[in-house]
Every structure is written in structure tokens, then in C-alpha cells.
Amino acid sequence: MRPVAIVGAGMIPFGRRDDDNLMDLLAYASLNALDDAGLGDKGVDSVYVANMGAGMLNHQMSVASALVDRLSLMPAAAEAIENGPASGASAIKNGLLAVASGYYDVVLVVGGEKMRDVSGWRATDFVASMTHPTAEYIYGITLPGMAGMFTRLYMEKYGVTREHLVQVAIKNQEMGALNPYAHVESRITHEGIVDSWHSRVNNPPVADPLHLYDVCPVSDGAAAVILAPLDMAKKFKKTPVVIAGFGQATDTHSLQERQDPTDLKAVTLASQQALAMAKLTPSDISVAELHDAFTILEIAESEHVGFFPKGQGAQAVIDGKTKLGGQIPINVSGGLKARGHPVGATGVAQVVDLVWQLRHELPEGRQVKNAQTGLSVNFGGFGNNVVSFVLRRGE
Amino acid sequence: MMKQQINIVAYQCKACGKVHFPFHDRCLSCKGREFDEIKPQGNAKLITFSQIFNLPWGFDNRFIFVGVAEFENGVKAMGQITANDPGELKLGMTVKPTWGVVRVIGGEDVYGLIYKPIQ
Ligand SMILES: [Zn+2]
């Protein structure tokens, strides 16, 4: 296996993009990544498209074939990868393996989702279709509902409080306000979402004990990377970012069948594999993008990855350890909470944000000083399929 | 309406005794492929729950309560819960399982577990 680098990265602003269809989103992000790599009018060997819902949300199938046509990339190999909300990182993993094996040299991976084509009801139902059809889905359980049940247990076991969750939301929206690609670009105040009389209207419960501001928005968006063997990376114009490690693990479909439902085993395993492959430990990581579809997940993942011991992730937020300039800056992009969560795009967007960090391309106020290593966690289902990467700044 | 029976089948591994719900083709503990079908028994203990407001397509309610509970013979299952406020529920409390319509999908009633809190 040969080392693989990310030699191009691109994104489009996430949010409600009424004028663009799914193919537009995928095409624009891909072009941004191709241009970033300086590929000009050159082609690629293979294309991996991460997408979860084209069939259900946009009534379109075979989006990878449609995309190579839009981009005039024929006769490149092309396929779509559907792996729930972990589709993005799954697609990068597949591209990585294809280049590492020596089979392909230059690979485009793009993730995108067009979720605002349908009503909020339908989007919620679409995401809920990941749950077990007869043991869970029929009850009206939603992903926020799953997260609510998980939060209640996490609070009981580790003493996490609503205040801890609120601080994650405030931190991530503060960073999102600085990110031109973020869906939610407004800051929130403690008063506005907790203390004031109007916080009951602004921040109602969505899936008790989670409130509106604990939950990521439903977004349209896309992000893309170009992969190439590290020994070819000099041919491209930007500082390469090496995929130093990756890991992936699965867990039971139903939360109730986990011996300890607060234990996100797949997060631990995937991140441990990624760190071991990179020969690094959690304390070696400069910056992390964790899958905060719900505020509780940022805290829980920060512990499961090993940045903090179990039960200490919540206090770490209060102590500012996860802020820019802290011990381990988490979700400097604003995370899913502020960047948004177009499900197929998220895993790729996390990696794009880390690439920008490791190239030191971000403006002051967002750039982690001298960042050398990054870690991502892309969390599928309710933790039943998790992919993690460790990235390292190349020469 | 006629009182409905709890129409759930759980699966106990013949080799190691592990109880599964829902069905798996191989035991989650020992990979055994043979199971005895068992019925959930008695009342159940509430493991966790959430009051869900933003409901998926197909629900007219303002909110529903959904939770997971463990029966006396070890079967764990999700179900809706009859409640109006989270304050009425406590982790570890006893709930009585009933069977009723939990959702309408494509015009058809779908039946499932509905837990009723008892102190
Ligand atoms: Zn067994």
C-alpha cells in the first residue's frame, strides 16, 4: 500500500439553496476541488459520490454516472456510496483504498445532499428510515429522538447537564458565524436560548431533553476532495495533506441491544484504528472535527476518541479546552451544528475543513496555530457505522 | 375494541441463552443460528425515553413519547409511552405494556407496544 495525499479540496456554502438541484451542488463542489488541485482540463481515474437520499428526496438514481457527464470526466470509473450520514467518509475511504492499492492515481470524492426539496416532515421521515423498520421506525422514533434517549442516559450516568449542551451550541455557532460556508451564521447568547422568557419560543424542546439549539439544521450542500499518491503530490500546487490513518467500525442497529447504550463502541474503535495507523495518540492531534449532529455527541465523541476521560468531556467544554486556542480545538468550522448537515456531504466537509486547517489557509480567528495533525469522526445511524480519519500536514 | 395481545416475538439463542429483539440470523454472543421464540413477560422497567416534538411525516400529534423498556424475562423493546409531560416519567420506573395502533402508514394501521406508566 502506498501513502495517499489530499491534493485538492473544495466546498460550496451550505444552507438552503433553492436555486440548485442535487447535481448542481455536486458539480460545483467538484469543480472547486478540481481547480484547487490545479487539474485544469485534466481528468481523473475514478469518482466516488457520497449521497444518502437522492432516491427518496430528489427522485434521482445513479448520481455518479450523471455527475461524470456534467463534469465531462468520462470515461472515468464512477459510483455512488450510500452509508447513511457516514456516506461522506465512507466514500473517501473507498477512494483512499483505490489509490493506496495502486489501482488508480487521481480520484475525485464528492459528497452532497439536497434535503430542502422536501418538507421538514419528509426530511425527518427520510432520516428516520435508517432505524429498524419493525422494532423502531413504526413508533415514530426520529434521530433527534434517539439522541434524546441517549442524552437522558448520558446525563444520568455522567452528570452532563443542559448547561454543558448549551455551551457546545454557543461555541459552535460562534465559530460558524466566522465560516462563510456555514448554514447558520448567527451567534447565539445564553440569554436568548436559556434564560429569557422568549427562550421558550426561540429554543423549544425538540426531543426532550434536547432543544432546538442542540440539533443541527437540515441543509443543502456539497464538499469534495482530490486524492493522489503522496509521491505524485508535488505535481499539484497546494501543500499536500496526508491521510495518515483511517478506521471504521459498526455496532448494533438498535440502541437497546447495546450492553451499555452510552458506550459508542464504534467511535472508540474507528478512532483507535485511525490513530494507531498514523502512529499517533489523541494528545498528538492539533484539531478535530467531530460529528455534532446533536450537542451531546460532541461531548460523547470527545471522550470516546480519548481527548478526555469518560465523564470529563462536558467539563472540558466549560473550561474552554475545546475552543480555538484550547487543549484540543473541536469543530472550529462550527461543526454540523453550524455548518449544517447535508447528510451525504458531511464526512467530506469535515475533511475539507481539516485540510484547510493543515494547509494553514484559514484567517486568524479560525486558524489553529501551526496545526500539524487533524482527526475526524463521521457518525452514521446512531453510532452503528462510524468512520474516522487522521490527517497530517505534508511537506 | 377487543383487547389486543402483545404481538412481539423475541429470540433466545438455543446455544447460549442470549435474548434478542429484534431478530438476528446469528446470535450476537455466540453466532448460534437456532433460537427459541419467546414472548415478553410481565411488566417492564423503563430504561430511557424522549418526548419527541418534531415528528416525521404521517403523525398528526403535537408530540409523542417514545422509550425503551426491559421486560421481566430480559426482552428489551422500544415502544410509545402514554404520558403528557416528561415529569411523569422516571428512569427505572415500572411500565405496563399494551398493544395498540402506533402509526398509520399508507392508510393502514400499524400496531405496536404502548407502555403505560404505573408507579
Ligand atoms: Zn448464542
Side-chain angles (χ1 to χ4, degrees), chain B residues 13-18 20 27-32:
Chain B
C13 176
K14 281 191 176 177
C16 77
K18 185 177 170 64
H20 302 76
C27 171
L28 294 183
S29 284
C30 77
K31 318 280 190 222

Side-chain angles (χ1 to χ4, degrees), chain A residues 119-122 124-125 128 132 134-142 144-146 148-150 152-153 156 205-209 212 252-259 261, chain B residues 8 18-22 24 28 47-60 64 66-68 76-80 86 91 99 102-103 105 110-113:
Chain A
S119 67
W121 274 20
R122 290 272 186 186
T124 301
D125 187 54
H132 193 286
T134 56
E136 296 178 331
Y137 174 79
I138 57 165
Y139 294 107
I141 189 68
T142 60
M146 286 276 191
M149 294 198 303
F150 175 83
R152 181 160 264 114
L153 290 170
E156 175 93 355
V206 166
D208 166 77
L212 184 64
T252 63
H253 197 174
S254 307
L255 206 59
Q256 82 239 19
E257 288 203 290
R258 300 181 192 165
Q259 201 170 17
Chain B
I8 276 190
K18 185 177 170 64
V19 174
H20 302 76
F21 179 77
H24 303 264
L28 294 183
I47 295 174
T48 187
F49 67 92
S50 179
Q51 182 184 21
I52 305 173
F53 289 87
N54 293 34
L55 294 170
W57 175 75
F59 280 90
D60 288 332
I64 54 172
V66 174
V68 171
K76 291 180 198 165
M78 186 177 281
Q80 289 178 357
L91 300 190
W99 192 251
V102 291
R103 189 168 191 167
I105 299 178
V110 177
Y111 284 78
L113 275 167

Side-chain angles (χ1 to χ4, degrees), chain A residues 146-315:
Chain A
M146 286 276 191
M149 294 198 303
F150 175 83
T151 304
R152 181 160 264 114
L153 290 170
Y154 222 83
M155 286 176 154
E156 175 93 355
K157 182 161 183 180
Y158 294 115
V160 173
T161 64
R162 178 147 182 235
E163 182 58 27
H164 295 124
L165 304 181
V166 163
Q167 292 302 331
V168 173
I170 291 173
K171 169 179 76 74
N172 291 0
Q173 287 206 208
E174 201 169 292
M175 294 315 292
L178 302 172
N179 180 357
Y181 292 90
H183 183 167
V184 180
E185 293 185 68
S186 55
R187 289 180 171 80
I188 46 175
T189 62
H190 198 279
E191 195 200 354
I193 62 169
V194 186
D195 303 327
S196 57
W197 63 271
H198 53 264
S199 68
R200 287 177 173 226
V201 180
N202 290 345
N203 192 20
V206 166
D208 166 77
L210 297 176
H211 289 65
L212 184 64
Y213 281 96
D214 291 309
V215 180
C216 65
V218 174
S219 319
D220 304 332
V225 291
I226 309 290
L227 308 180
L230 182 59
D231 59 19
M232 269 177 62
K234 283 193 186 71
K235 291 189 197 158
F236 297 87
K237 58 181 185 179
K238 296 282 180 76
T239 306
V241 170
V242 183
I243 305 183
F246 81 93
Q248 181 172 19
T250 50
D251 202 347
T252 63
H253 197 174
S254 307
L255 206 59
Q256 82 239 19
E257 288 203 290
R258 300 181 192 165
Q259 201 170 17
D260 175 359
T262 62
D263 187 10
L264 301 171
K265 279 187 187 162
V267 173
T268 307
L269 288 172
S271 55
Q272 278 177 354
Q273 288 167 14
L275 286 162
M277 185 172 164
K279 298 188 171 66
L280 295 173
T281 65
S283 62
D284 297 322
I285 299 297
S286 319
V287 54
E289 287 286 319
L290 303 184
H291 193 111
D292 60 330
F294 311 102
T295 47
I296 186 69
L297 284 182
E298 181 174 306
I299 293 171
E301 288 169 23
S302 74
E303 297 171 358
H304 285 77
V305 166
F307 292 135
F308 307 107
K310 290 261 176 80
Q312 292 183 28
Q315 187 57 40

Side-chain angles (χ1 to χ4, degrees), chain B residues 40-46 69-75 93-97 115-116 118:
Chain B
Q41 268 165 25
N43 286 328
K45 266 199 184 348
L46 190 60
E70 179 170 2
F71 288 80
E72 284 162 15
N73 61 344
V75 176
M93 80 186 297
T94 305
V95 290
K96 180 183 167 59
Y115 295 114
K116 307 233 190 260
I118 47 180

